[in-house]
């Protein structure tokens, strides 16, 4: 990837120019596909190793499938896991050392631009009928948005987004000059959980009606949200309206970009031309509202300006809040004696919950690439995803959501979670594709945290972050234009 | 305690310094021979990394792609031109100064108290050194939980004893976050300092104290004019060892505050970790590492001067 | 008044001790608490203690990929080996620096002490690259050698001052009696060095047992140590406080027991023979 071709590439819309080259590429892909046909049965290893996330991508669910794979193919899958807070370092370290140890690695969407040279593209294997039964595997079953955001990248320009939104079509991807770099397995999106028992409580209902002149309902807009959250905030009874994750960390950036998108801004935060676009009027309005929730309306529990996703989860679990926004199913402690359900994160002018999926990819240095591919194909297949539902996998296939919708036991166990997650993914906003995203991410969360604890104003915090991000993008060779 | 005659009388391993050239040669061989295994281990862990750092600092090192190339002093320009690095360097120096001085004061007080003969002194000493054994990752996680304003015990008990009104979000305000990270280090390391000082107190000759008491010195002047000067070598050792370790602090602060709120508790080691092991920008990390090592070797030379002035442990 | 002062001193000491042990007490109490009580306020002090957290941590019934007991075993191997290595190379070096007069001795001594300043956060990347090139990632030596090097300067300096406190006349007399140098060191010097060696070994062991950054960066699963495993109990979904504190208690216990048993030697060894 060079600076010069980046400068001229218009991200997310490169396909337009690529269409002209379709004919030539079609031939190229058939030629490229041939080596796999020639040696369809690669030497079979007795064991494959996989680096995976601990709970954040639901390793418990994946574990349950491994015996089945073993009985099908006679291959043991040795799975090592790391918690998310150390996972990026671990994955990058493995790939940087060009080690063949892990055949399969988990890759989170924002890392891909940095590690693209070390991940083996699997488009040809998907198109190879000896390796993939197209009908059974059914690529079109993947949620297109999740699939494109997570797995489809342009080898020569890792910052470019695939612009289509229709069903996933490996041939079209190849023809567009893109490649598929893995298969999404866990799709996380910001969803709202709420205390059903508090919303259904008769006293609460009548008190809310009396105070606001309308029925108490789960809020769908931020304006309603402020009212409901204020209504439930009763510090003396150790109850607050909502959690937020305004502490210094990745979670604060993700909170902000959800707000930014819902206030009508570009939730990607960096536009096609490598310009920061989060400090404009929508950004300032979004961050001001976010800060106001904490400091003006005071609907969040103490500790919000140092909170992260685990503290938010604990606060909901222990019954301290009426509502919470997080990336997974939640539970209430037995001592809370409450009930709960899920809803979409509210909107201002539109929905824009932050989402990001993790995929299983083939290590470019693996000595067993074909079997690694077969493994991830198995693990992300229709049957597997459906089988992992009871253990709270966040599926990446539409069929899994249909299974969850049809079987009442899921509604019983997880309430609305799967329908809400499915809809949130449809409306979700991903992240910019930058090899130094972690730098950009940090500048933004520092701004959000600074503003949230009123060390500075939202305008000043965002302006400072935008200036820093400009420098960071220039240092990474991303020139605006 | 120290045996003045030992070094001079010993000279070489077999008696007084031998005059003949080949004997001197053999003595040197014995000396270096005894040192060699230790030197090899230390070379692997200090000189080899330094060579790597110097090599990488002038390159753009892309471990994840093909982009490695020579870039001159660009990495240094970037690191030294970043105002945050300077404020983080200041934060690191402040952290060391605060943590170590508080530990010395508390450690001295604790050592003085434990030096009194009581029935339970041994038990107390044993219990007091427990924090030393807790892994920094664990103690930081425990502190974070205890300091949580809604379910932590610290705010709860401070409130229920009427010592505090509204709950304090310790980690969300630079001042209280600093109090938290310093408290963590003080909690963990004061026992270590107290142990060194206790060893000193037990080794200090009693005659000067007894003479001063006969002369009518009060407890305060006794401590100030007699005990403290006698304790100087031990204070120096505790100061040097703790200062060096405090400069290297990483895991505790990383887990407790992650460098926040904002960037207010970001120490240089946290920057090193972020640039090196999260961004994998090895070139910039190496440049920062070299600058850090330069600063540290200056500090180290000052600390060695302190040791040389107050103790004889640097002497032959 | 005469009797009041010691009483006050005692009270003060016990109060400070209570404050100091507060986090450790919280850790142990949480480890034996039923799960849904661990976060409740006011803190629950009366409950039926449960060993279930310890059981699940030590039998691998957690969501972590590795049984924590196995990680403790890795930690034990790494700690014992690195401490032995530090002593094995440290004792001769200390003896050489204390007793042999040769050119460059002072410079060597100062250099050895100065290597203590090298922050692990700086050396971890070069060592990571080196270990990847030599295919040493996830092997015992890749932790044992660095850990030995971390504590070696302190070990050498503690032992050097201990040796210097041994009257040289004893060694001379022994050699006059016909003992060889090596036998003299073994029979005369080493026994006198025991307090120093114990103190140095204990400090070295604590450093190795608790190290996090190198262990996280240089291991996968075969050599992964306990501190890295402890980190796995906290996740995006919340922290498993019961399991974390149970695992932490198990991790801390051996160090605490050793410190308790060896505390007197530790105090002796820490004096560094520093009196001027």
């Amino acid at each position: 990837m060079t600076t010069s071709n980046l400068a001229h590439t218009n991200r997310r819309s490169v396909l337009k120019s690529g269409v002209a080259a379709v004919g030539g590429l079609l031939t190229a892909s058939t030629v490229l596909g041939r080596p796999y046909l020639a040696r369809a049965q690669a030497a079979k290893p007795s064991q494959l190793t996989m680096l995976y996330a601990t709970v954040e991508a639901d390793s418990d669910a994946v574990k349950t499938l491994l015996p089945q794979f073993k009985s099908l193919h006679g291959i043991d899958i040795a799975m090592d896991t790391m918690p998310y807070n150390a996972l990026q370092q671990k994955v990058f370290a493995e790939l940087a050392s060009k080690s063949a140890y892990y055949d399969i690695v988990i890759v989170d969407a924002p890392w891909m631009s940095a590690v693209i040279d070390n991940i083996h593209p699997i488009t040809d294997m998907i198109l190879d009928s000896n390796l993939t039964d197209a009908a059974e595997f059914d690529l079109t079953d993947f949620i297109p948005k999740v699939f494109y955001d997570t797995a489809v990248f342009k080898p020569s320009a890792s910052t470019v987004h695939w612009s289509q939104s229709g069903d996933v079509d490996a041939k079209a991807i190849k023809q567009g000059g893109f490649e598929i770099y893995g298969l999404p397995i866990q799709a996380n999106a910001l969803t709202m959980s709420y205390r059903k028992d508090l919303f259904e409580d008769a006293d609460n209902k009548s008190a809310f009606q009396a105070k606001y002149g309308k029925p108490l309902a789960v809020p769908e807009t931020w304006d309603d949200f402020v009212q409901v959250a204020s209504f439930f905030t009763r510090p003396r009874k150790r109850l607050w309206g909502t959690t937020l994750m305004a502490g210094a960390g990745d979670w604060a950036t993700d909170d902000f970009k959800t707000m930014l998108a819902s206030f009508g801004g570009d939730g990607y935060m960096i536009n096609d031309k490598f310009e920061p676009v989060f400090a404009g009027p929508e950004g300032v309005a979004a961050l001001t509202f976010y800060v106001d929730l904490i400091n003006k309306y005071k609907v969040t529990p103490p500790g919000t300006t140092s909170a992260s996703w685990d503290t938010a989860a604990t606060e909901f679990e222990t019954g301290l809040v009426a509502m919470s926004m997080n990336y997974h199913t939640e539970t209430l402690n037995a001592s809370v004696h409450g009930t709960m359900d899920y809803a979409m994160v509210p909107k201002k002018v539109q929905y824009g919950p932050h989402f990001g999926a993790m995929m299983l990819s083939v290590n470019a240095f693996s000595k067993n690439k074909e079997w690694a591919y077969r493994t991830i194909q198995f693990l992300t297949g229709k049957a597997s995803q459906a089988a992992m539902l009871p253990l709270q996998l966040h599926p990446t296939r539409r069929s899994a959501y249909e299974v969850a919708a049809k079987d009442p036991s899921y509604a019983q166990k997880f309430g609305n979670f799967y329908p809400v997650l499915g809809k949130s993914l449809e409306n979700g906003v991903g992240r910019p594709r930058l090899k130094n995203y972690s730098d950009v991410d940090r500048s933004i969360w520092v701004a959000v945290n600074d503003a949230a604890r009123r060390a500075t104003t939202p305008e000043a915090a965002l302006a400072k972050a935008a200036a820093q991000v400009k420098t960071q993008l220039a240092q990474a060779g991303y020139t605006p234009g | 305690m120290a045996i003045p005659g030992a070094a001079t009388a010993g000279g070489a391993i077999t008696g007084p310094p031998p005059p003949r050239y080949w004997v001197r040669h053999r003595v040197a061989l014995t000396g270096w021979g005894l040192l060699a295994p230790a030197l090899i281990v230390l070379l692997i862990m200090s000189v080899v990394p330094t060579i790597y750092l110097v090599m990488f600092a002038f390159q753009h090192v892309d471990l994840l792609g093909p982009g490695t190339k020579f870039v001159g002093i660009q990495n240094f320009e970037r690191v030294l031109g970043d105002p945050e690095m300077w404020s983080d360097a200041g934060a690191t120096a402040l952290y060391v100064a605060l943590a170590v001085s508080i530990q010395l004061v508390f450690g001295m007080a604790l050592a003085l108290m434990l030096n009194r003969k009581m029935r339970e002194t041994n038990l107390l000493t044993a219990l007091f050194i427990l924090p030393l054994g807790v892994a920094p990752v664990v103690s930081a996680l425990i502190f974070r939980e205890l300091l949580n304003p809604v379910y932590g015990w610290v705010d709860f008990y401070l409130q229920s004893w009427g010592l505090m009104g509204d709950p304090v979000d310790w980690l969300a305000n630079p001042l209280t976050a600093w109090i938290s990270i310093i408290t963590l280090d003080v909690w963990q390391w004061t026992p270590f300092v107290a142990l060194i000082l206790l060893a000193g107190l037990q080794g200090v000759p009693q005659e000067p104290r007894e003479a001063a008491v006969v002369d009518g010195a009060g407890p305060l002047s006794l401590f100030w004019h007699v005990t403290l000067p006698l304790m100087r070598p031990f204070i120096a050792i505790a100061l040097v060892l703790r200062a060096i370790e405090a400069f290297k602090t990483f895991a505790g602060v990383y887990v407790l505050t992650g460098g926040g709120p904002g960037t207010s508790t970001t120490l240089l080691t946290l920057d090193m970790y972020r640039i090196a092991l999260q961004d994998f920008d090895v070139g910039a990390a190496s440049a920062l590492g070299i600058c850090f090592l330069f600063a540290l070797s200056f500090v180290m030379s000052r600390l060695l001067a302190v040791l040389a002035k107050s103790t004889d442990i640097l002497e032959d | 008044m005469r009797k009041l002062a010691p009483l006050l001193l005692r009270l003060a000491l016990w109060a400070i001790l209570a404050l100091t042990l507060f986090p450790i007490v919280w850790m142990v109490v949480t480890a034996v608490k039923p799960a849904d009580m661990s976060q409740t306020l006011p803190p629950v002090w009366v409950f039926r203690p449960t060993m279930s957290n310890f059981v699940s941590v030590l039998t691998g019934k957690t969501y972590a990929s590795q049984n924590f007991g196995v990680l403790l075993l890795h930690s034990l191997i790494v700690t014992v080996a690195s401490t032995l290595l530090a002593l094995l190379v440290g004792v001769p070096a200390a003896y050489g620096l204390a007793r042999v007069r040769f050119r460059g001795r002072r410079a060597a001594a100062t250099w050895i002490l100065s290597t203590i300043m090298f922050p692990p956060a700086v050396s971890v990347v070069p060592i990571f690259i080196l270990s990847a090139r030599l295919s040493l990632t996830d092997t015992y030596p890749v932790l044992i050698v660095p850990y030995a090097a971390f504590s070696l300067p302190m070990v050498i300096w503690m032992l050097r001052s201990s040796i210097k406190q041994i009257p040289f006349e004893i060694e001379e007399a022994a050699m006059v009696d016909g003992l060889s140098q090596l036998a003299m060191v073994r029979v005369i010097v080493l026994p006198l060095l025991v307090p120093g060696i114990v103190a140095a070994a204990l400090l070295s062991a604590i450093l190795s047992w608790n190290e996090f950054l190198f262990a996280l960066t240089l291991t996968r699963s075969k050599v992964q140590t306990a501190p890295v495993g402890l980190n796995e109990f906290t996740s995006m979904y919340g922290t498993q406080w019961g399991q974390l504190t149970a695992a932490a208690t198990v991790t801390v216990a051996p160090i605490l027991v050793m410190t308790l048993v060896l505390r007197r030697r530790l105090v002796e060894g820490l004096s560094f023979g520093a009196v001027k």
Side-chain angles (χ1 to χ4, degrees):
Chain A
M1 184 171 51
T2 65
T3 318
S4 61
N5 78 29
L6 272 174
H8 298 293
T9 321
N10 190 2
R11 297 154 67 220
R12 287 186 239 164
S13 59
V14 79
L15 198 71
K16 286 173 202 152
S17 58
V19 171
V22 163
L25 280 164
L26 191 61
T27 342
S29 74
T30 5
V31 172
L32 280 170
R34 198 156 297 152
Y36 291 104
L37 287 171
R39 42 173 190 84
Q41 285 299 319
K44 195 175 192 174
S46 61
Q47 192 195 44
L48 289 169
T49 48
M50 173 159 90
L51 178 56
Y52 202 68
T54 312
V55 270
E56 290 87 350
D58 210 1
S59 60
D60 266 353
V62 177
K63 257 182 232 170
T64 60
L65 292 177
L66 302 181
Q68 196 190 339
F69 189 78
K70 163 102 176 167
S71 64
L72 276 174
H73 299 288
I75 297 177
D76 276 314
I77 309 288
M79 183 166 78
D80 291 347
T81 65
M82 268 284 146
Y84 190 74
N85 68 22
L87 188 64
Q88 178 183 357
Q89 182 201 336
K90 205 74 217 164
V91 170
F92 278 37
E94 282 301 325
L95 296 175
S97 59
K98 311 207 183 306
S99 156
Y101 183 81
Y102 289 111
D103 301 295
I104 302 161
V105 288
I106 188 166
V107 178
D108 195 12
W111 309 340
M112 196 49 211
S113 298
V115 301
I116 190 164
D117 290 330
N118 306 278
I119 298 297
H120 186 71
I122 54 170
T123 327
D124 293 327
M125 294 197 268
I126 290 174
L127 290 169
D128 182 343
S129 59
N130 286 322
L131 285 168
T132 312
D133 181 338
E136 196 198 320
F137 183 57
D138 193 8
L139 207 56
T140 61
D141 184 33
F142 281 96
I143 304 168
K145 184 171 205 160
V146 170
F147 196 90
Y148 295 137
D149 187 76
T150 316
V152 179
F153 283 76
K154 192 174 175 142
S156 58
S158 67
T159 58
V160 183
H161 284 259
W162 172 258
S163 64
Q164 306 270 306
S165 57
D167 281 355
V168 179
D169 178 353
K171 262 195 195 120
I173 288 169
K174 190 92 193 172
Q175 285 160 9
F178 282 68
E179 292 277 1
I180 297 167
Y181 281 91
L183 297 172
I185 183 156
Q186 169 98 349
N188 296 326
L190 192 68
T191 55
M192 187 168 84
S193 47
Y194 62 90
R195 286 282 298 282
K196 210 172 167 184
D197 57 318
L198 295 180
F199 277 86
E200 285 172 355
D201 179 77
D203 292 345
N204 282 337
K205 278 179 166 172
S206 56
F208 190 88
Q209 178 77 37
K211 193 171 178 190
Y212 295 100
K214 60 182 181 186
L216 174 61
V218 179
E220 286 176 16
T221 67
W222 289 121
D223 297 331
D224 291 342
F225 183 82
V226 172
Q227 287 183 347
V228 173
S230 307
F231 173 74
F232 280 120
T233 301
R234 302 156 194 175
R236 286 193 181 172
K237 290 185 173 167
R238 290 178 55 74
L239 182 68
W240 286 268
T242 184
T243 63
L244 291 174
M245 315 175 195
D250 180 33
W251 40 85
T253 302
D254 299 342
D255 260 10
F256 168 68
K257 69 186 277 301
T258 295
M259 290 283 172
L260 175 65
S262 75
F263 272 68
D266 182 351
Y268 282 89
M269 303 181 293
I270 315 294
N271 71 5
D272 293 351
K273 299 168 186 159
F274 301 113
E275 292 160 341
V277 287
F278 55 80
E282 298 92 355
V284 172
L287 186 56
T288 304
F289 176 72
Y290 187 77
V291 173
D292 283 350
L293 283 175
I294 300 167
N295 297 307
K296 187 173 153 196
Y297 306 118
K298 298 186 194 301
V299 296
T300 55
T304 298
T305 47
S306 62
S308 63
W309 36 48
D310 60 312
T311 33
T314 309
E315 282 163 357
F316 186 77
E317 186 179 281
T318 51
L320 289 175
V321 286
M323 297 176 283
S324 180
M325 287 168 277
N326 220 321
Y327 297 93
H328 47 80
T329 49
E330 311 229 33
T331 48
L332 286 170
N333 277 349
S335 53
V336 174
H337 304 295
T339 55
M340 56 165 299
D341 213 335
Y342 302 87
M344 293 280 290
V345 169
K347 60 181 176 179
K348 183 79 178 179
V349 299
Q350 65 196 29
Y351 285 120
H354 166 66
F355 97 97
M358 295 194 236
M359 66 174 163
L360 288 176
S361 296
V362 178
N363 181 354
F365 310 100
S366 163
K367 303 214 164 64
N368 308 302
K369 294 196 183 69
E370 280 185 25
W371 280 101
Y373 166 69
R374 282 171 188 261
T375 311
I376 66 176
Q377 187 192 347
F378 167 78
L379 292 174
T380 59
K382 266 185 196 171
S384 297
Q385 293 209 7
M388 290 191 281
L389 277 173
L391 283 167
Q392 302 156 54
L393 178 86
H394 302 167
T396 57
R397 282 176 176 272
R398 294 185 269 209
S399 59
Y401 288 89
E402 283 159 21
V403 170
K406 269 185 212 144
D407 185 341
S409 71
Y410 291 109
Q412 209 171 10
K413 201 170 170 196
F414 306 119
N416 255 332
F417 181 72
Y418 281 121
V420 167
L421 176 61
K423 201 173 167 208
S424 299
L425 288 172
E426 272 169 39
N427 290 281
V429 178
R431 277 164 286 208
R433 292 184 165 181
L434 303 165
K435 61 182 175 186
N436 62 339
Y437 179 68
S438 55
D439 275 348
V440 171
D441 189 12
R442 180 171 183 263
S443 294
I444 296 170
W445 88 52
V446 167
V448 175
N449 180 250
D450 281 347
R453 56 193 179 83
R454 284 184 294 183
T456 176
T457 62
E459 291 90 339
L462 290 176
K464 187 179 162 201
Q468 282 175 351
V469 168
K470 260 183 201 155
T471 314
Q472 287 156 354
L473 292 174
Q475 277 168 351
Y478 299 135
T479 40
Chain B
M1 302 281 307
I3 305 303
T8 38
I13 199 157
T14 47
R20 298 254 289 280
Y21 172 77
W22 66 271
V23 181
R24 260 203 339 253
H25 213 70
R26 221 187 52 166
V27 171
L29 269 181
T30 315
W32 287 109
L34 287 168
L35 278 182
L39 289 179
I40 290 170
V41 171
L42 289 172
L43 280 171
I44 295 174
M45 285 306 298
S46 60
V47 174
V48 172
T50 310
I51 293 170
Y52 266 98
L53 289 177
V54 172
M55 215 166 73
F56 290 148
F58 299 97
Q59 296 179 35
H60 171 78
V61 185
D62 191 352
L63 292 179
L64 292 160
T68 301
K69 60 177 188 284
F70 181 78
V71 294
I73 57 164
Q74 205 174 302
N75 288 323
F76 288 93
E77 282 174 351
R78 199 174 137 191
V79 168
L80 296 174
D82 182 349
E84 202 202 316
M85 289 306 147
W86 292 97
S87 63
D88 293 351
T92 309
L94 181 67
Y95 175 80
V96 175
L98 282 175
V100 175
S101 49
I102 295 173
Q103 280 159 22
L104 283 175
V105 173
F106 284 13
M108 179 61 95
L110 191 57
L112 284 171
M113 288 200 263
L114 289 174
N115 197 34
R116 303 283 287 261
K117 283 281 160 280
M118 286 182 297
R119 216 176 331 128
E120 68 268 43
T121 305
N122 266 333
L123 177 68
L124 279 171
T125 314
L127 291 173
F128 264 114
I129 48 188
L130 293 187
L132 194 58
V134 183
V137 183
V138 174
S139 49
L141 276 169
I142 293 175
F143 265 58
R144 212 176 65 165
E145 176 74 359
L146 288 174
L147 291 172
N148 184 293
V150 276
Y151 42 80
W153 284 14
V154 171
D155 280 21
F156 176 80
Y157 282 116
L158 286 179
Q159 275 180 301
S160 54
W161 296 335
L163 296 171
M164 196 171 77
D166 289 331
V168 172
D169 188 359
W170 295 90
L171 302 178
N173 172 315
L175 179 67
T176 48
W178 267 88
I179 293 175
S180 308
I181 61 171
I182 297 286
T183 306
L184 176 63
D185 203 64
V186 167
W187 176 79
Q188 189 119 51
W189 289 105
T190 298
F192 178 71
V193 174
L195 274 192
I196 294 181
L197 299 181
L198 189 60
L201 282 173
Q202 290 173 355
V204 162
Q206 290 300 308
E207 298 81 25
R209 285 177 60 92
E210 283 155 15
V213 171
V214 170
D215 289 350
L220 209 65
S221 93
L222 193 67
F223 172 73
W224 196 255
H225 294 291
V226 182
T227 311
L228 210 54
L230 285 172
M231 289 289 288
R232 208 167 87 160
F234 298 93
I235 297 172
I237 290 171
L239 167 80
V240 169
L241 285 180
R242 277 308 305 141
I244 292 164
E245 288 301 317
F247 269 108
K248 303 195 285 194
T249 305
F250 168 72
V253 178
Y254 179 69
V255 173
L256 186 56
T257 68
T263 58
S264 57
T265 59
T266 308
L267 306 180
L268 280 179
T269 47
L270 270 71
D271 286 319
M272 279 299 308
Y273 174 78
R274 175 172 54 85
I275 299 173
L277 291 171
Q278 293 192 309
D279 302 354
F280 272 82
D281 188 343
V282 174
S286 301
L288 178 60
I290 286 175
C291 297
F292 194 20
L293 283 180
F294 258 109
L296 276 180
S297 45
F298 173 75
V299 173
M300 190 73 200
S301 69
R302 304 309 310 148
L303 290 174
L304 286 177
V306 169
L307 269 189
K309 224 174 106 187
S310 321
T311 74
D312 62 357
I313 71 170
L314 288 177
E315 282 161 25
D316 284 337
Chain C
M1 192 62 207
R2 284 230 149 207
K3 284 196 170 163
L4 197 63
L7 189 70
L8 280 177
L9 179 76
R10 271 185 180 170
L11 275 178
L13 268 174
W14 283 104
I16 300 169
L17 183 69
L19 204 63
T20 307
L21 296 186
F22 179 56
I24 297 176
V25 170
W26 180 86
M27 174 178 86
V28 178
V29 168
T30 308
V32 295
K33 242 183 206 183
D36 67 334
M37 284 187 189
S38 67
Q39 309 273 347
T40 44
L41 282 186
V44 183
W45 281 98
V46 183
F47 55 87
R48 183 187 290 271
T50 163
M51 285 290 121
S52 65
N53 289 320
F54 290 94
V55 172
S56 50
V57 161
L58 291 174
T59 56
K61 289 198 178 60
T62 65
Y63 54 63
S65 58
Q66 291 235 72
N67 184 336
F68 196 74
V70 175
L71 302 190
L72 284 172
L73 182 68
H74 297 160
S75 276
L76 184 71
I77 294 171
V78 170
T79 302
V80 170
S82 68
T83 305
L84 283 180
L85 177 61
L87 291 177
L88 208 65
V89 302
V91 173
Y95 189 81
L97 288 175
R99 287 289 196 247
V100 188
R101 171 158 290 214
F102 60 96
R103 210 190 245 276
R105 164 165 87 156
R106 215 194 141 115
T110 312
W111 181 77
I112 287 174
L113 186 58
S114 71
T115 59
I116 203 175
M117 75 177 185
F118 221 105
V122 174
S123 53
V124 67
V125 167
I127 296 299
F128 160 72
I129 292 171
L130 191 66
S131 85
R133 287 196 182 157
L134 301 174
S135 299
L136 283 173
T137 307
D138 205 25
T139 60
Y140 284 109
V142 88
L143 292 186
I144 291 170
V145 175
Y147 288 0
F150 290 158
S151 49
L152 200 47
M154 197 147 72
V155 168
I156 293 177
W157 276 81
M158 284 172 76
L159 295 181
R160 176 178 177 264
S161 34
S162 301
I163 294 169
K164 281 167 80 175
Q165 286 175 54
I166 301 170
F168 188 65
E169 291 75 14
I170 299 181
E171 293 182 40
E172 279 183 320
M175 275 186 285
V176 170
D177 286 350
L179 274 174
S180 76
Q181 266 176 33
L182 205 68
M184 184 275 298
V185 168
R186 210 184 60 224
V187 178
I188 310 286
V189 179
L190 277 182
L192 289 170
L193 264 186
V194 165
I197 289 182
V198 167
L202 184 57
L203 284 179
S204 163
I206 291 177
L207 280 180
S208 307
W209 185 259
N210 289 341
E211 204 281 338
F212 175 70
L213 187 59
F214 268 61
L216 174 66
T217 312
L218 301 174
T219 69
R220 293 185 186 110
S221 53
K222 286 180 205 135
V223 188
Q224 199 180 71
T225 58
V228 181
L230 285 170
N231 183 44
E232 211 166 349
F233 294 109
T234 128
S235 77
M236 199 192 257
Y237 290 17
T239 302
Q240 303 288 323
W241 284 108
Q243 293 177 1
L244 172 68
T245 49
T249 306
V250 176
T251 310
V252 170
I255 294 286
L256 296 191
V257 170
M258 275 183 18
T259 318
L260 289 180
V261 173
L262 302 173
R263 68 182 181 280
R264 225 171 291 171
R265 305 265 190 209
L266 192 61
V267 174
E268 283 173 53
L270 276 174
S271 62
F272 288 88
V275 180
K276 189 159 189 160

